[in-house]
């Protein structure tokens, strides 16, 4: 794979333009996990059930509820549940057999799933509010000592949903929301046993995917203190990997405001990829295969420097911007990410809370600016399939994330670019071997204006014929550039990417050369890239200097964008290297070199992403 990057310019009178970077688009459909198509049901969900009067509004922007939250807490379902008179310490199994009670608890869910979309709902329990008759002395009075009894609540709640909806239960169930934030109440041993027990009970009765541990945003710090947090997560996987269907977690970025300046810190994009590789590398070591991931909350998280609840243009922009930024990364990781649910709500207002900063609509059904996060993706359906792209291998941290899709039915190719830079960037677009030579098209962009308000512009005409194939990408913009492309010019071959992980992970650097081996099956590979994640202390000067693959130095690479550039304890970075397919064997040795091998640090994971030809399911 020869790396390059993409560029478009929305201004027309450019005599001589020099690009900041290049994106290359190849004449190849790109499948990951065997699927080449854009699947809106996987990516267009938001958190929380919709109030019935807002359901049409949500459908109008092609989003629907993807996560049913806190049913155990709301209306005190668990807290008011009586004890079984025939079994001390267990919930009464007859409590939710009352149809009136079922309707009170589950009618909103039924209205949502019967509103004309595919039910892909994730149901999640809060998990820390229980009846007073349960003995909770070992967990600060907020979680039962009897884990089997606690699991019985989950089973009976799901049975109530099943009975009321005549079998239309949520396809996914998250056992407890963000248990790592409840460390004073329960440790990971308790969390692990609880997940395992719930999974066993639910699987014995229902066709449902049980997910966990639904980690909070602290996942971005998994590498600090010698990966101490990650060690707890891996111990959870030791207990639950054979019982859970998907691994779930949350991913956020923080908005930091100081005077008239702003910046973002947090997970996307480098730390998100690094954490995913930790999970998948460990699952691969344990079971020889990846585990599907569910990112059930993501987007803009905390706000520092201003009130996150007060009406604010910069908060609105950040909410839209991070929703798009995370979706770009998830789409690039769709081999592993089974679905993502953005933390946006149909309406978040409640008595005494007038905030709309996560709301798509106000109480009257009028759209807020946040709907731009879905309107940008409105046109994409399963008629669109992904096309292979590559960022420029210049040895630098990239500041543009590219995607590309085409539709043989609409005769168009769409290049999508997300900018991590607060400056305008000139991007060079290269279609390998001139497989198409587009000139004019239409651009839709979301960016930030001088008054800190988000703005979206739809279908602005552009012409790259006069700009040597370049466009200007505005600061912190998410843009799509659409070209009309006759279907006979679209790719005729499909590549499928598969990732293979190293036999070793979290490899110490100090006084050694980190090394691991990656096994490949026999086969013919069209291209390959090596993804190396490294964690280095910020208080020491050390740098990655070389990576060898079967003793050959890899010299074509770039680094993923790291949002965490200040107030951090480690540099957790992700590097992507081109690997010539001639170097691939069934057993491959990777070595990672640093400027000072005497210092602390780790190679957290090594992943080899390979691509092979497959039979295409794209209709030409």
């Amino acid at each position: 794979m020869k790396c390059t990057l993409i560029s478009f310019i929305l201004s027309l009178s450019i005599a001589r333009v020099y690009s900041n970077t290049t994106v290359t688009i190849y004449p190849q459909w790109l499948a990951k996990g065997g699927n080449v198509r854009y699947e809106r049901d996987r990516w267009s969900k938001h958190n929380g059930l919709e109030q019935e009067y807002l359901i049409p509004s949500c459908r109008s922007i092609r989003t629907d509820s993807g996560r049913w939250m806190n049913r155990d807490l709301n209306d005190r379902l668990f807290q008011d549940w009586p004890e079984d008179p025939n079994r001390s310490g267990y919930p009464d199994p007859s409590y939710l057999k009352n149809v009136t009670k079922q309707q009170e608890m589950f009618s909103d869910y039924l209205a949502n799933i019967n509103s004309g979309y595919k039910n892909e709902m994730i149901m999640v329990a809060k998990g820390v509010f229980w009846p007073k008759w349960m003995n909770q002395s070992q967990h600060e009075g907020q979680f039962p000592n009897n884990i089997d009894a606690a699991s019985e609540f989950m089973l009976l709640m799901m049975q109530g949903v099943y009975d009321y909806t005549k079998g239309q239960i949520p396809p996914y169930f998250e056992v407890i929301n963000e248990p790592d934030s409840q460390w004073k109440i329960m440790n990971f041993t308790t969390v692990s046993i609880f997940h395992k027990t719930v999974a066993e009970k639910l699987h014995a009765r229902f066709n449902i995917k049980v997910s966990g541990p639904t980690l909070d945003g602290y996942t971005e710090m998994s590498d600090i203190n010698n990966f101490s947090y990650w060690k707890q997560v891996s111990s959870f996987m030791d207990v639950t990997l054979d019982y859970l269907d998907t691994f779930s977690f949350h991913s956020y970025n923080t908005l930091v405001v100081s005077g008239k300046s702003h910046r973002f810190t947090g997970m996307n994009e480098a730390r998100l990829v690094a954490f995913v590789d930790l999970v998948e590398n460990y699952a691969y070591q344990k079971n020889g295969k990846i585990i599907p991931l569910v990112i059930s909350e993501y987007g803009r998280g905390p706000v520092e420097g201003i009130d996150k609840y007060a009406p604010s243009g910069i908060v609105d922009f950040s909410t839209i911007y991070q929703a798009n930024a995370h979706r770009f990364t998830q789409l690039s990781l769709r081999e592993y990410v089974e679905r993502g649910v953005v933390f946006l709500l149909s309406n978040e207002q409640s008595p005494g809370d007038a905030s709309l900063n996560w709301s798509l609509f106000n109480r009257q059904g009028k759209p807020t600016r946040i709907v731009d996060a879905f309107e940008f993706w409105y046109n994409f359906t399963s008629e669109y399939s992904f096309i292979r792209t590559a960022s420029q291998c210049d040895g630098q941290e990239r500041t543009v994330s590219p995607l590309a899709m085409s539709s043989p039915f609409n005769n168009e190719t769409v290049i999508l670019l997300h900018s991590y830079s607060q400056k305008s960037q000139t991007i060079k677009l290269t279609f390998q071997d001139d497989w198409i030579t587009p000139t004019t098209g239409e651009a839709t962009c979301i960016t930030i204006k001088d008054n800190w308000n988000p703005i979206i512009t739809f279908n602005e005409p552009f012409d790259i014929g006069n700009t040597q194939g370049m466009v200007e990408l505005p600061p912190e913009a998410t843009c799509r550039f659409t070209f009309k492309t006759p279907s006979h010019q679209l790719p005729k071959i499909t590549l499928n990417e598969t990732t293979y992980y190293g036999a070793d992970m979290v490899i110490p650097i100090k006084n050694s050369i980190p090394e691991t081996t990656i096994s490949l099956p026999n086969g013919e590979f069209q291209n390959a890239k090596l993804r190396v994640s490294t964690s280095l202390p910020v208080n020491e000067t050390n740098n990655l200097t070389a990576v060898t693959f079967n003793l050959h130095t890899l010299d074509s690479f770039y680094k993923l964008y790291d949002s965490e550039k200040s107030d951090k304890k480690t540099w957790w970075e992700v590097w992507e290297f081109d690997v010539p397919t001639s170097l691939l064997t069934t057993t491959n040795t990777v070595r990672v070199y640093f400027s000072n091998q005497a210092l602390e640090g780790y190679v957290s994971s090594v992943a080899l992403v390979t691509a092979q030809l497959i039979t295409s399911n794209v209709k030409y």
Side-chain angles (χ1 to χ4, degrees):
M1 178 180 79
K2 204 65 181 171
C3 280
T4 18
L5 212 152
I6 149 174
S7 101
F8 289 167
I9 292 186
L10 301 180
S11 52
L12 301 179
S13 57
I14 302 176
R16 192 170 186 84
V17 181
Y18 298 94
S19 65
N20 295 102
T21 190
T22 303
V23 166
T24 300
I25 301 92
Y26 293 85
Q28 300 159 348
W29 301 110
L30 183 64
K32 298 193 179 194
N35 201 329
V36 71
R37 295 186 184 276
Y38 180 83
E39 300 164 278
R40 190 166 61 203
D41 286 334
R42 288 173 66 182
W43 315 112
S44 64
K45 309 292 187 181
H46 62 264
N47 264 261
L49 294 183
E50 300 153 356
Q51 299 173 63
E52 284 195 54
Y53 77 95
L54 287 177
I55 289 175
S57 299
C58 290
R59 300 301 170 273
S60 72
I61 57 172
R62 291 184 172 172
T63 181
D64 39 66
S65 173
R67 196 161 180 251
W68 182 13
M69 299 184 290
N70 304 337
R71 178 63 282 172
D72 58 321
L73 164 63
N74 295 338
D75 302 310
R76 297 178 58 87
L77 175 58
F78 279 14
Q79 291 167 286
D80 292 343
W81 200 307
E83 187 176 12
D84 186 349
N86 301 314
R87 193 182 186 192
S88 177
Y90 281 77
D92 185 346
S94 67
Y95 183 59
L96 265 184
K97 291 182 178 179
N98 181 290
V99 176
T100 302
K101 191 68 176 179
Q102 290 175 358
Q103 182 166 349
E104 177 188 348
M105 295 294 155
F106 309 136
S107 59
D108 287 345
Y109 164 71
L110 188 60
N112 271 247
I113 66 171
N114 284 346
S115 61
Y117 72 94
K118 184 178 180 182
N119 180 13
E120 300 280 6
M121 190 75 73
I122 302 166
M123 186 180 189
V124 57
K126 187 70 173 177
V128 291
F129 294 90
W130 303 87
K132 290 184 178 179
W133 52 261
M134 299 192 81
N135 186 348
Q136 303 171 59
S137 60
Q138 297 172 10
H139 305 287
E140 302 291 329
Q142 289 187 262
F143 189 79
N145 295 354
N146 186 338
I147 292 178
D148 187 71
S151 303
E152 198 73 14
F153 276 84
M154 303 300 182
L155 176 66
L156 294 175
M157 178 173 65
M158 192 62 68
Q159 185 66 56
V161 178
Y162 184 93
D163 294 342
Y164 180 71
T165 64
K166 296 180 172 56
Q168 298 182 77
I169 62 172
Y172 296 83
F173 183 71
E174 290 180 316
V175 176
I176 183 170
N177 191 55
E178 298 186 344
D180 47 335
S181 66
Q182 305 290 344
W183 56 272
K184 291 183 178 180
I185 299 171
M186 63 188 87
N187 57 32
F188 263 94
T189 300
T190 300
V191 172
S192 303
I193 297 171
F194 187 42
H195 276 75
K196 174 180 177 291
T197 308
V198 170
E200 288 177 318
K201 289 179 181 288
L202 291 181
H203 285 149
R205 190 174 297 186
F206 305 111
N207 179 20
I208 192 170
K209 292 184 177 182
V210 183
S211 189
T214 319
L215 301 171
D216 70 8
Y218 194 76
T219 47
E220 70 181 79
M221 301 298 180
S222 294
D223 67 319
I224 67 171
N225 298 324
N226 298 313
F227 287 81
S228 59
Y229 176 85
W230 163 249
K231 291 172 184 176
Q232 296 180 71
V233 176
S234 63
S235 69
F236 171 88
M237 295 177 69
D238 289 339
V239 174
T240 63
L241 203 52
D242 292 332
Y243 298 91
L244 296 183
D245 301 282
T246 64
F247 182 102
S248 64
F249 67 98
H250 298 161
S251 177
Y252 284 106
N253 277 61
T254 298
L255 167 65
V256 181
V257 177
S258 178
K260 292 297 182 180
S261 66
H262 74 278
R263 59 186 173 88
F264 297 107
T265 66
M267 196 122 175
N268 196 53
E269 74 178 327
R271 288 172 181 256
L272 175 53
V273 176
F275 180 74
V276 165
D277 277 342
L278 272 180
V279 173
E280 297 298 358
N281 202 157
Y282 196 72
Y284 196 82
Q285 284 187 359
K286 300 286 287 187
N287 287 350
K289 59 183 180 180
I290 66 169
I291 182 170
L293 305 177
V294 169
I295 304 179
S296 55
E297 290 182 21
Y298 70 86
R300 190 268 298 163
V303 174
E304 298 178 5
I306 59 173
D307 182 358
K308 72 175 179 181
Y309 296 109
S312 167
I314 186 60
V315 172
D316 285 352
F317 168 75
S318 303
T319 304
I320 299 166
Y321 178 81
Q322 290 300 338
N324 283 326
H326 282 251
R327 193 190 290 206
F328 263 69
T329 307
Q330 290 174 23
L331 290 172
S332 72
L333 297 173
R334 63 190 184 276
E335 178 187 350
Y336 333 98
V337 181
E338 186 162 301
R339 63 186 52 258
V341 185
V342 66
F343 193 81
L344 297 175
L345 308 168
S346 58
N347 178 271
E348 67 179 304
Q349 291 176 306
S350 58
D353 180 8
S355 173
L356 284 169
N357 287 348
W358 271 301
S359 296
L360 296 168
F361 301 93
N362 65 17
R363 286 179 178 171
Q364 291 71 45
K366 181 180 178 180
T368 70
R369 288 185 291 206
I370 307 304
V371 299
D372 290 352
F374 286 104
E375 289 187 334
F376 179 84
W377 301 92
Y378 182 88
N379 292 340
F380 295 109
T381 67
S382 59
E383 293 179 349
Y384 287 81
S385 296
F386 289 94
I387 287 178
R388 180 183 163 216
T389 63
S391 295
Q392 181 172 315
C393 290
D394 55 6
Q396 304 299 311
E397 180 181 64
R398 75 175 185 180
T399 55
V400 176
S401 176
L403 294 168
M405 287 186 268
S406 284
S407 169
F409 304 95
N410 296 325
N411 290 324
E412 64 183 29
T413 296
V414 187
I415 312 302
L416 301 97
L417 303 176
H418 180 83
S419 173
Y420 291 106
S421 175
Q422 292 191 343
K423 298 179 180 179
S424 293
Q425 299 184 83
T426 301
I427 314 298
K428 170 71 176 175
L429 177 62
T430 299
F431 292 91
Q432 189 201 36
D433 299 329
D434 293 328
W435 64 276
I436 56 174
T437 55
T439 54
T440 60
E442 294 182 337
T444 294
C445 285
I446 303 176
T447 188
I448 187 171
K449 286 302 184 182
D450 294 337
N451 58 2
W452 270 9
N453 286 306
I455 184 170
I456 185 168
T457 56
F458 290 100
N459 304 325
E460 295 285 330
F462 67 89
D463 186 346
I464 62 171
N466 298 324
T467 60
Q468 298 89 52
M470 289 181 264
V471 305
E472 184 177 320
L473 190 61
E476 292 181 316
T478 309
C479 294
R480 65 173 194 254
F481 301 91
T482 303
F483 302 97
K484 286 299 178 182
T485 312
S487 58
H488 71 271
Q489 294 183 10
L490 294 178
K492 298 298 187 291
I493 65 171
T494 301
L495 300 183
N496 181 58
E497 285 191 349
T498 303
T499 303
Y500 300 91
Y501 285 95
D504 308 276
M505 57 183 296
V506 191
I507 311 167
I509 292 170
K510 190 173 184 179
N511 300 324
S512 66
I513 297 174
E515 177 181 311
T516 190
T517 58
I518 302 175
S519 298
L520 288 180
N522 288 316
E524 184 176 345
F525 299 97
Q526 304 302 309
N527 64 73
K529 59 184 177 182
L530 190 73
R531 196 162 60 230
V532 178
S533 301
T534 63
S535 173
L536 302 174
V538 296
N539 59 353
E540 296 178 346
T541 301
N542 202 0
N543 298 291
L544 186 149
T545 56
V547 170
T548 64
F549 190 92
N550 293 334
L551 302 181
H552 294 264
T553 300
L554 303 178
D555 55 12
S556 182
F557 62 93
Y558 62 89
K559 186 169 65 171
L560 297 187
Y561 183 77
D562 181 14
S563 298
E564 204 68 26
K565 297 190 183 301
S566 60
D567 304 324
K568 62 180 183 179
K569 297 181 180 180
T570 61
W571 297 102
W572 200 10
E573 299 176 318
V574 181
W575 308 77
E576 294 201 350
F577 297 80
D578 271 354
V579 180
T581 55
S582 60
L583 299 181
L584 300 178
T585 66
T586 55
T587 302
N588 304 276
T589 301
V590 178
R591 293 191 179 101
V592 185
Y593 296 84
F594 294 85
S595 57
N596 192 336
Q597 301 287 163
L599 297 179
E600 301 288 343
Y602 295 87
V603 173
S604 59
S605 63
V606 178
L608 181 61
V609 183
T610 63
Q612 292 180 288
L613 285 172
I614 62 170
T615 302
S616 177
N617 62 353
V618 178
K619 304 293 185 183
Y620 302 119

